[in-house]
Amino acid sequence: MHQLQQYLRRVFTVDLRALAIMRIWVAGIIITDLAIRTTDLEAHYSNMGVLPLHVLHQFGWHPYHFSFHTLSGLWQVQAVLFLIAAVFAVCLLLGYKTRTATIVSWVLLVSLQNRNTFIAQGGDDLLRMLLFWGMFLPWGKCYSYDATKAPKLGLQQTSYFSAATVAYIMQIFLVYFCTALLKSSPEWSIDGTALYYALSLDQILMPVGKLIYPYPELLRFLTLTTWYTELLLPFLLLIPFYNHVWRLVVVGVLFMFHIGISLTLFVGLFYLINIASISGLLPPQAMNWVEKKFLTSFRRPFSGQFQRIFRSFKSPAQLRLQISMQKPLLSKNQLQYVREGLVTFVLIYCIWWNLAGATTRVPAMPDSTTWFGSLLRVDQRWGMFAPAVFKDDGWYVLEGQAANGQLIDLNREGKEADYAKPTSVVSMFKNDRWRKYSENYLFVQFAFLRPYYCNYLVRRWNEAHPDNPVKELQVVYMKEFTLPDYQPVTPQKEVLCICANLPE
């Protein structure tokens, strides 16, 4: 047991300053995500949008999900919830009442994600898990308002170890190791053609991706490198000697890995969330260098510049609740044991969930146990381009019949309908949420989404263009099924939905 404890401390001890950087980064992503989502309050979260509440509850609701965002179908109510989430995200960013801000941010993030799961991507799962483990991490001990109010004990030890640090690092391990296991198609580990197929998807192709696409040998090398990196690199985190060196290797490789993804593929906030997740791995040696070079005035993590910034700050509202109790229910030590036990249980549950979903060698979870993961939203699947890359590429033509008899494309600001391939398909999407929605819109099992999207488009167009309303709309998908070896493909026209603007 002593050797096991020594191993765990060597491998899973983290630096409080690195955790603080991760906290700031995560909070910034939450604020950015809210800002992006705010532009589609009506479309994605109200009854006037593409997913009214009755449709969500009939077709897409999990019985163990919870969501404050489903209390009303009015976009104004959603705006209030967004504002509350933004306030607590700012508190998390500043490290003000950090644990409370983390808990509320997690609850509101889960609530928001549960409101519309058809626009979710893998980065959302990771962001949710970072906040979940963050509730048990002291990531407000440095670079925060809370730190300026802490007792002045001088320059404290910044190393920290607990069950939560084990859970955090193992979460990073699971993300990459399990995504490699899920990529079971030969195109990843044998043929090396996965990246060719990924860059053939014009819906997500970015400029750097266009540059490297014509070179099959380069794509094969990058494909195999990607798969082996995801499969083997996480094990460096478990090496007990020269741990700081291995962590720097992991952080450096994954940083470049996700920057590369962002330059080649349109993945929204996915790459920023992944970079945020590894920032907490920075070892003390790296943080000492960072402070010396870039944060000289912040070198003392519990005082200094942050204290001067927040010295005059006072909370605009304070809520004090006093409960007269002769004796607390649990002592401080007992409460710590309960917290450590809960984190350990959830971690084991997450490991089982991940491995059971990624390999048949691990027994599947009984149906009677999955409610727990769905309730806390610790359910996760890291299946980007797994087991194989999606081959159905194409673009949308929103062919509307205008009042003047002209056929126009609502996707091209009312220009004459044209089925030719656009110069840039990815630019046709307002943001990654709409791109993900359009991807799910294609699947037969999500056909119930189609009339609501169609009618939403008609209503919005007619409200903005009363002089030239649309009488009928066809949602057309020009499908290009990707063939091997750069073989040319003739697009096929598929009408996914037809809706009419009926006179009142």
PDB file of all heavy atoms in Angstrom, residues 10-40:
ATOM      1  N   ARG A  10       3.333  10.358  -7.169  1.00  0.00           N
ATOM      2  CA  ARG A  10       4.299  10.759  -8.197  1.00  0.00           C
ATOM      3  C   ARG A  10       3.611  11.032  -9.536  1.00  0.00           C
ATOM      4  O   ARG A  10       3.984  11.946 -10.260  1.00  0.00           O
ATOM      5  CB  ARG A  10       5.354   9.665  -8.383  1.00  0.00           C
ATOM      6  CG  ARG A  10       6.358   9.567  -7.233  1.00  0.00           C
ATOM      7  CD  ARG A  10       7.306   8.409  -7.467  1.00  0.00           C
ATOM      8  NE  ARG A  10       8.257   8.263  -6.372  1.00  0.00           N
ATOM      9  CZ  ARG A  10       9.125   7.267  -6.264  1.00  0.00           C
ATOM     10  NH1 ARG A  10       9.159   6.319  -7.208  1.00  0.00           N
ATOM     11  NH2 ARG A  10       9.957   7.207  -5.237  1.00  0.00           N
ATOM     12  N   VAL A  11       2.605  10.242  -9.835  1.00  0.00           N
ATOM     13  CA  VAL A  11       1.970  10.324 -11.152  1.00  0.00           C
ATOM     14  C   VAL A  11       0.839  11.352 -11.189  1.00  0.00           C
ATOM     15  O   VAL A  11       0.651  12.039 -12.193  1.00  0.00           O
ATOM     16  CB  VAL A  11       1.450   8.929 -11.564  1.00  0.00           C
ATOM     17  CG1 VAL A  11       0.582   9.014 -12.817  1.00  0.00           C
ATOM     18  CG2 VAL A  11       2.615   7.981 -11.802  1.00  0.00           C
ATOM     19  N   PHE A  12       0.092  11.475 -10.106  1.00  0.00           N
ATOM     20  CA  PHE A  12      -1.147  12.250 -10.149  1.00  0.00           C
ATOM     21  C   PHE A  12      -1.117  13.537  -9.326  1.00  0.00           C
ATOM     22  O   PHE A  12      -2.167  14.135  -9.100  1.00  0.00           O
ATOM     23  CB  PHE A  12      -2.317  11.373  -9.698  1.00  0.00           C
ATOM     24  CG  PHE A  12      -2.562  10.194 -10.592  1.00  0.00           C
ATOM     25  CD1 PHE A  12      -2.272   8.912 -10.159  1.00  0.00           C
ATOM     26  CD2 PHE A  12      -3.069  10.365 -11.870  1.00  0.00           C
ATOM     27  CE1 PHE A  12      -2.502   7.807 -10.981  1.00  0.00           C
ATOM     28  CE2 PHE A  12      -3.293   9.281 -12.698  1.00  0.00           C
ATOM     29  CZ  PHE A  12      -3.008   7.995 -12.257  1.00  0.00           C
ATOM     30  N   THR A  13       0.048  13.959  -8.901  1.00  0.00           N
ATOM     31  CA  THR A  13       0.158  15.266  -8.242  1.00  0.00           C
ATOM     32  C   THR A  13       0.186  16.358  -9.307  1.00  0.00           C
ATOM     33  O   THR A  13       0.846  16.218 -10.340  1.00  0.00           O
ATOM     34  CB  THR A  13       1.430  15.339  -7.383  1.00  0.00           C
ATOM     35  OG1 THR A  13       1.319  14.376  -6.316  1.00  0.00           O
ATOM     36  CG2 THR A  13       1.605  16.728  -6.788  1.00  0.00           C
ATOM     37  N   VAL A  14      -0.542  17.436  -9.059  1.00  0.00           N
ATOM     38  CA  VAL A  14      -0.609  18.543 -10.019  1.00  0.00           C
ATOM     39  C   VAL A  14      -0.174  19.834  -9.345  1.00  0.00           C
ATOM     40  O   VAL A  14      -0.062  19.913  -8.117  1.00  0.00           O
ATOM     41  CB  VAL A  14      -2.032  18.708 -10.596  1.00  0.00           C
ATOM     42  CG1 VAL A  14      -2.461  17.465 -11.348  1.00  0.00           C
ATOM     43  CG2 VAL A  14      -3.022  19.041  -9.491  1.00  0.00           C
ATOM     44  N   ASP A  15       0.065  20.848 -10.150  1.00  0.00           N
ATOM     45  CA  ASP A  15       0.454  22.161  -9.656  1.00  0.00           C
ATOM     46  C   ASP A  15      -0.785  23.052  -9.595  1.00  0.00           C
ATOM     47  O   ASP A  15      -1.535  23.160 -10.567  1.00  0.00           O
ATOM     48  CB  ASP A  15       1.504  22.782 -10.574  1.00  0.00           C
ATOM     49  CG  ASP A  15       2.142  24.017  -9.962  1.00  0.00           C
ATOM     50  OD1 ASP A  15       1.475  25.068  -9.949  1.00  0.00           O
ATOM     51  OD2 ASP A  15       3.290  23.931  -9.491  1.00  0.00           O
ATOM     52  N   LEU A  16      -1.001  23.683  -8.442  1.00  0.00           N
ATOM     53  CA  LEU A  16      -2.182  24.526  -8.262  1.00  0.00           C
ATOM     54  C   LEU A  16      -2.216  25.684  -9.253  1.00  0.00           C
ATOM     55  O   LEU A  16      -3.290  26.132  -9.663  1.00  0.00           O
ATOM     56  CB  LEU A  16      -2.229  25.062  -6.832  1.00  0.00           C
ATOM     57  CG  LEU A  16      -2.492  24.023  -5.729  1.00  0.00           C
ATOM     58  CD1 LEU A  16      -2.356  24.677  -4.360  1.00  0.00           C
ATOM     59  CD2 LEU A  16      -3.876  23.403  -5.891  1.00  0.00           C
ATOM     60  N   ARG A  17      -1.058  26.173  -9.649  1.00  0.00           N
ATOM     61  CA  ARG A  17      -1.022  27.277 -10.618  1.00  0.00           C
ATOM     62  C   ARG A  17      -1.479  26.812 -11.988  1.00  0.00           C
ATOM     63  O   ARG A  17      -2.167  27.546 -12.713  1.00  0.00           O
ATOM     64  CB  ARG A  17       0.398  27.846 -10.684  1.00  0.00           C
ATOM     65  CG  ARG A  17       0.864  28.481  -9.388  1.00  0.00           C
ATOM     66  CD  ARG A  17       2.364  28.704  -9.379  1.00  0.00           C
ATOM     67  NE  ARG A  17       3.101  27.444  -9.440  1.00  0.00           N
ATOM     68  CZ  ARG A  17       4.427  27.364  -9.492  1.00  0.00           C
ATOM     69  NH1 ARG A  17       5.158  28.470  -9.503  1.00  0.00           N
ATOM     70  NH2 ARG A  17       5.027  26.186  -9.537  1.00  0.00           N
ATOM     71  N   ALA A  18      -1.132  25.568 -12.354  1.00  0.00           N
ATOM     72  CA  ALA A  18      -1.603  25.014 -13.625  1.00  0.00           C
ATOM     73  C   ALA A  18      -3.115  24.808 -13.590  1.00  0.00           C
ATOM     74  O   ALA A  18      -3.813  25.071 -14.578  1.00  0.00           O
ATOM     75  CB  ALA A  18      -0.888  23.698 -13.922  1.00  0.00           C
ATOM     76  N   LEU A  19      -3.618  24.339 -12.448  1.00  0.00           N
ATOM     77  CA  LEU A  19      -5.066  24.196 -12.309  1.00  0.00           C
ATOM     78  C   LEU A  19      -5.764  25.542 -12.456  1.00  0.00           C
ATOM     79  O   LEU A  19      -6.856  25.633 -13.036  1.00  0.00           O
ATOM     80  CB  LEU A  19      -5.410  23.579 -10.954  1.00  0.00           C
ATOM     81  CG  LEU A  19      -5.120  22.089 -10.748  1.00  0.00           C
ATOM     82  CD1 LEU A  19      -5.572  21.655  -9.359  1.00  0.00           C
ATOM     83  CD2 LEU A  19      -5.790  21.244 -11.818  1.00  0.00           C
ATOM     84  N   ALA A  20      -5.141  26.589 -11.920  1.00  0.00           N
ATOM     85  CA  ALA A  20      -5.729  27.922 -12.029  1.00  0.00           C
ATOM     86  C   ALA A  20      -5.796  28.382 -13.483  1.00  0.00           C
ATOM     87  O   ALA A  20      -6.781  28.991 -13.916  1.00  0.00           O
ATOM     88  CB  ALA A  20      -4.928  28.919 -11.188  1.00  0.00           C
ATOM     89  N   ILE A  21      -4.739  28.094 -14.234  1.00  0.00           N
ATOM     90  CA  ILE A  21      -4.754  28.435 -15.663  1.00  0.00           C
ATOM     91  C   ILE A  21      -5.866  27.669 -16.372  1.00  0.00           C
ATOM     92  O   ILE A  21      -6.583  28.232 -17.210  1.00  0.00           O
ATOM     93  CB  ILE A  21      -3.384  28.117 -16.293  1.00  0.00           C
ATOM     94  CG1 ILE A  21      -2.343  29.124 -15.795  1.00  0.00           C
ATOM     95  CG2 ILE A  21      -3.456  28.149 -17.812  1.00  0.00           C
ATOM     96  CD1 ILE A  21      -0.948  28.882 -16.321  1.00  0.00           C
ATOM     97  N   MET A  22      -6.041  26.397 -16.014  1.00  0.00           N
ATOM     98  CA  MET A  22      -7.112  25.613 -16.617  1.00  0.00           C
ATOM     99  C   MET A  22      -8.474  26.199 -16.253  1.00  0.00           C
ATOM    100  O   MET A  22      -9.377  26.267 -17.095  1.00  0.00           O
ATOM    101  CB  MET A  22      -7.021  24.153 -16.176  1.00  0.00           C
ATOM    102  CG  MET A  22      -8.059  23.258 -16.842  1.00  0.00           C
ATOM    103  SD  MET A  22      -7.812  21.497 -16.545  1.00  0.00           S
ATOM    104  CE  MET A  22      -8.265  21.381 -14.807  1.00  0.00           C
ATOM    105  N   ARG A  23      -8.627  26.624 -15.003  1.00  0.00           N
ATOM    106  CA  ARG A  23      -9.892  27.241 -14.582  1.00  0.00           C
ATOM    107  C   ARG A  23     -10.211  28.480 -15.401  1.00  0.00           C
ATOM    108  O   ARG A  23     -11.327  28.655 -15.907  1.00  0.00           O
ATOM    109  CB  ARG A  23      -9.794  27.628 -13.105  1.00  0.00           C
ATOM    110  CG  ARG A  23     -11.062  28.240 -12.537  1.00  0.00           C
ATOM    111  CD  ARG A  23     -10.796  29.055 -11.279  1.00  0.00           C
ATOM    112  NE  ARG A  23     -10.343  30.398 -11.595  1.00  0.00           N
ATOM    113  CZ  ARG A  23      -9.218  30.940 -11.146  1.00  0.00           C
ATOM    114  NH1 ARG A  23      -8.386  30.232 -10.393  1.00  0.00           N
ATOM    115  NH2 ARG A  23      -8.905  32.181 -11.465  1.00  0.00           N
ATOM    116  N   ILE A  24      -9.218  29.340 -15.564  1.00  0.00           N
ATOM    117  CA  ILE A  24      -9.414  30.583 -16.331  1.00  0.00           C
ATOM    118  C   ILE A  24      -9.758  30.262 -17.775  1.00  0.00           C
ATOM    119  O   ILE A  24     -10.651  30.876 -18.379  1.00  0.00           O
ATOM    120  CB  ILE A  24      -8.150  31.458 -16.236  1.00  0.00           C
ATOM    121  CG1 ILE A  24      -7.943  31.929 -14.794  1.00  0.00           C
ATOM    122  CG2 ILE A  24      -8.232  32.649 -17.179  1.00  0.00           C
ATOM    123  CD1 ILE A  24      -6.597  32.583 -14.538  1.00  0.00           C
ATOM    124  N   TRP A  25      -9.058  29.291 -18.337  1.00  0.00           N
ATOM    125  CA  TRP A  25      -9.284  28.912 -19.735  1.00  0.00           C
ATOM    126  C   TRP A  25     -10.679  28.312 -19.910  1.00  0.00           C
ATOM    127  O   TRP A  25     -11.403  28.649 -20.854  1.00  0.00           O
ATOM    128  CB  TRP A  25      -8.217  27.909 -20.165  1.00  0.00           C
ATOM    129  CG  TRP A  25      -8.002  27.839 -21.645  1.00  0.00           C
ATOM    130  CD1 TRP A  25      -8.961  27.896 -22.620  1.00  0.00           C
ATOM    131  CD2 TRP A  25      -6.756  27.686 -22.332  1.00  0.00           C
ATOM    132  NE1 TRP A  25      -8.397  27.782 -23.867  1.00  0.00           N
ATOM    133  CE2 TRP A  25      -7.040  27.660 -23.719  1.00  0.00           C
ATOM    134  CE3 TRP A  25      -5.434  27.553 -21.921  1.00  0.00           C
ATOM    135  CZ2 TRP A  25      -6.056  27.501 -24.689  1.00  0.00           C
ATOM    136  CZ3 TRP A  25      -4.455  27.400 -22.880  1.00  0.00           C
ATOM    137  CH2 TRP A  25      -4.756  27.384 -24.239  1.00  0.00           C
ATOM    138  N   VAL A  26     -11.081  27.414 -19.000  1.00  0.00           N
ATOM    139  CA  VAL A  26     -12.400  26.790 -19.078  1.00  0.00           C
ATOM    140  C   VAL A  26     -13.496  27.842 -18.963  1.00  0.00           C
ATOM    141  O   VAL A  26     -14.488  27.822 -19.714  1.00  0.00           O
ATOM    142  CB  VAL A  26     -12.550  25.716 -17.981  1.00  0.00           C
ATOM    143  CG1 VAL A  26     -14.010  25.304 -17.819  1.00  0.00           C
ATOM    144  CG2 VAL A  26     -11.696  24.499 -18.301  1.00  0.00           C
ATOM    145  N   ALA A  27     -13.334  28.772 -18.028  1.00  0.00           N
ATOM    146  CA  ALA A  27     -14.327  29.834 -17.864  1.00  0.00           C
ATOM    147  C   ALA A  27     -14.424  30.686 -19.124  1.00  0.00           C
ATOM    148  O   ALA A  27     -15.525  31.065 -19.547  1.00  0.00           O
ATOM    149  CB  ALA A  27     -13.964  30.705 -16.665  1.00  0.00           C
ATOM    150  N   GLY A  28     -13.283  30.992 -19.725  1.00  0.00           N
ATOM    151  CA  GLY A  28     -13.290  31.764 -20.965  1.00  0.00           C
ATOM    152  C   GLY A  28     -14.015  31.037 -22.085  1.00  0.00           C
ATOM    153  O   GLY A  28     -14.734  31.654 -22.887  1.00  0.00           O
ATOM    154  N   ILE A  29     -13.852  29.710 -22.151  1.00  0.00           N
ATOM    155  CA  ILE A  29     -14.547  28.917 -23.175  1.00  0.00           C
ATOM    156  C   ILE A  29     -16.046  28.922 -22.924  1.00  0.00           C
ATOM    157  O   ILE A  29     -16.844  29.021 -23.870  1.00  0.00           O
ATOM    158  CB  ILE A  29     -13.989  27.485 -23.199  1.00  0.00           C
ATOM    159  CG1 ILE A  29     -12.557  27.483 -23.756  1.00  0.00           C
ATOM    160  CG2 ILE A  29     -14.878  26.567 -24.027  1.00  0.00           C
ATOM    161  CD1 ILE A  29     -11.867  26.152 -23.678  1.00  0.00           C
ATOM    162  N   ILE A  30     -16.453  28.807 -21.665  1.00  0.00           N
ATOM    163  CA  ILE A  30     -17.881  28.848 -21.354  1.00  0.00           C
ATOM    164  C   ILE A  30     -18.493  30.165 -21.809  1.00  0.00           C
ATOM    165  O   ILE A  30     -19.570  30.196 -22.423  1.00  0.00           O
ATOM    166  CB  ILE A  30     -18.112  28.653 -19.844  1.00  0.00           C
ATOM    167  CG1 ILE A  30     -17.688  27.240 -19.414  1.00  0.00           C
ATOM    168  CG2 ILE A  30     -19.576  28.881 -19.479  1.00  0.00           C
ATOM    169  CD1 ILE A  30     -17.734  27.025 -17.922  1.00  0.00           C
ATOM    170  N   ILE A  31     -17.811  31.264 -21.535  1.00  0.00           N
ATOM    171  CA  ILE A  31     -18.299  32.578 -21.949  1.00  0.00           C
ATOM    172  C   ILE A  31     -18.370  32.669 -23.470  1.00  0.00           C
ATOM    173  O   ILE A  31     -19.356  33.163 -24.039  1.00  0.00           O
ATOM    174  CB  ILE A  31     -17.399  33.684 -21.369  1.00  0.00           C
ATOM    175  CG1 ILE A  31     -17.488  33.689 -19.837  1.00  0.00           C
ATOM    176  CG2 ILE A  31     -17.776  35.054 -21.932  1.00  0.00           C
ATOM    177  CD1 ILE A  31     -16.470  34.583 -19.165  1.00  0.00           C
ATOM    178  N   THR A  32     -17.333  32.186 -24.146  1.00  0.00           N
ATOM    179  CA  THR A  32     -17.320  32.199 -25.611  1.00  0.00           C
ATOM    180  C   THR A  32     -18.440  31.336 -26.174  1.00  0.00           C
ATOM    181  O   THR A  32     -19.130  31.724 -27.129  1.00  0.00           O
ATOM    182  CB  THR A  32     -15.964  31.697 -26.133  1.00  0.00           C
ATOM    183  OG1 THR A  32     -14.907  32.495 -25.583  1.00  0.00           O
ATOM    184  CG2 THR A  32     -15.902  31.772 -27.652  1.00  0.00           C
ATOM    185  N   ASP A  33     -18.627  30.155 -25.586  1.00  0.00           N
ATOM    186  CA  ASP A  33     -19.684  29.250 -26.038  1.00  0.00           C
ATOM    187  C   ASP A  33     -21.054  29.890 -25.867  1.00  0.00           C
ATOM    188  O   ASP A  33     -21.914  29.802 -26.759  1.00  0.00           O
ATOM    189  CB  ASP A  33     -19.590  27.942 -25.257  1.00  0.00           C
ATOM    190  CG  ASP A  33     -20.595  26.895 -25.721  1.00  0.00           C
ATOM    191  OD1 ASP A  33     -20.805  26.795 -26.946  1.00  0.00           O
ATOM    192  OD2 ASP A  33     -21.164  26.194 -24.876  1.00  0.00           O
ATOM    193  N   LEU A  34     -21.266  30.536 -24.729  1.00  0.00           N
ATOM    194  CA  LEU A  34     -22.544  31.221 -24.496  1.00  0.00           C
ATOM    195  C   LEU A  34     -22.760  32.332 -25.516  1.00  0.00           C
ATOM    196  O   LEU A  34     -23.879  32.519 -26.021  1.00  0.00           O
ATOM    197  CB  LEU A  34     -22.582  31.796 -23.078  1.00  0.00           C
ATOM    198  CG  LEU A  34     -22.728  30.782 -21.932  1.00  0.00           C
ATOM    199  CD1 LEU A  34     -22.524  31.470 -20.591  1.00  0.00           C
ATOM    200  CD2 LEU A  34     -24.103  30.120 -21.982  1.00  0.00           C
ATOM    201  N   ALA A  35     -21.692  33.058 -25.833  1.00  0.00           N
ATOM    202  CA  ALA A  35     -21.808  34.149 -26.807  1.00  0.00           C
ATOM    203  C   ALA A  35     -22.204  33.611 -28.184  1.00  0.00           C
ATOM    204  O   ALA A  35     -23.044  34.199 -28.878  1.00  0.00           O
ATOM    205  CB  ALA A  35     -20.492  34.915 -26.890  1.00  0.00           C
ATOM    206  N   ILE A  36     -21.603  32.484 -28.573  1.00  0.00           N
ATOM    207  CA  ILE A  36     -21.937  31.884 -29.871  1.00  0.00           C
ATOM    208  C   ILE A  36     -23.369  31.368 -29.864  1.00  0.00           C
ATOM    209  O   ILE A  36     -24.145  31.596 -30.807  1.00  0.00           O
ATOM    210  CB  ILE A  36     -20.953  30.753 -30.206  1.00  0.00           C
ATOM    211  CG1 ILE A  36     -19.542  31.319 -30.402  1.00  0.00           C
ATOM    212  CG2 ILE A  36     -21.398  29.995 -31.459  1.00  0.00           C
ATOM    213  CD1 ILE A  36     -18.468  30.255 -30.549  1.00  0.00           C
ATOM    214  N   ARG A  37     -23.744  30.666 -28.804  1.00  0.00           N
ATOM    215  CA  ARG A  37     -25.089  30.115 -28.715  1.00  0.00           C
ATOM    216  C   ARG A  37     -26.153  31.215 -28.647  1.00  0.00           C
ATOM    217  O   ARG A  37     -27.287  31.018 -29.113  1.00  0.00           O
ATOM    218  CB  ARG A  37     -25.207  29.207 -27.485  1.00  0.00           C
ATOM    219  CG  ARG A  37     -24.431  27.891 -27.558  1.00  0.00           C
ATOM    220  CD  ARG A  37     -24.584  27.144 -26.247  1.00  0.00           C
ATOM    221  NE  ARG A  37     -23.803  25.932 -26.147  1.00  0.00           N
ATOM    222  CZ  ARG A  37     -24.274  24.697 -26.373  1.00  0.00           C
ATOM    223  NH1 ARG A  37     -25.524  24.542 -26.761  1.00  0.00           N
ATOM    224  NH2 ARG A  37     -23.505  23.643 -26.215  1.00  0.00           N
ATOM    225  N   THR A  38     -25.808  32.356 -28.061  1.00  0.00           N
ATOM    226  CA  THR A  38     -26.768  33.449 -27.928  1.00  0.00           C
ATOM    227  C   THR A  38     -27.286  33.929 -29.276  1.00  0.00           C
ATOM    228  O   THR A  38     -28.433  34.382 -29.387  1.00  0.00           O
ATOM    229  CB  THR A  38     -26.123  34.624 -27.163  1.00  0.00           C
ATOM    230  OG1 THR A  38     -25.742  34.182 -25.847  1.00  0.00           O
ATOM    231  CG2 THR A  38     -27.095  35.789 -27.002  1.00  0.00           C
ATOM    232  N   THR A  39     -26.473  33.819 -30.310  1.00  0.00           N
ATOM    233  CA  THR A  39     -26.903  34.261 -31.637  1.00  0.00           C
ATOM    234  C   THR A  39     -28.006  33.366 -32.203  1.00  0.00           C
ATOM    235  O   THR A  39     -28.615  33.717 -33.224  1.00  0.00           O
ATOM    236  CB  THR A  39     -25.710  34.277 -32.613  1.00  0.00           C
ATOM    237  OG1 THR A  39     -25.196  32.941 -32.759  1.00  0.00           O
ATOM    238  CG2 THR A  39     -24.608  35.187 -32.097  1.00  0.00           C
ATOM    239  N   ASP A  40     -28.273  32.229 -31.555  1.00  0.00           N
ATOM    240  CA  ASP A  40     -29.310  31.304 -32.022  1.00  0.00           C
ATOM    241  C   ASP A  40     -30.291  30.959 -30.907  1.00  0.00           C
ATOM    242  O   ASP A  40     -30.795  29.836 -30.827  1.00  0.00           O
ATOM    243  CB  ASP A  40     -28.671  30.020 -32.559  1.00  0.00           C
ATOM    244  CG  ASP A  40     -27.799  30.267 -33.772  1.00  0.00           C
ATOM    245  OD1 ASP A  40     -28.307  30.846 -34.743  1.00  0.00           O
ATOM    246  OD2 ASP A  40     -26.612  29.885 -33.734  1.00  0.00           O
TER     247      ASP A  40
END
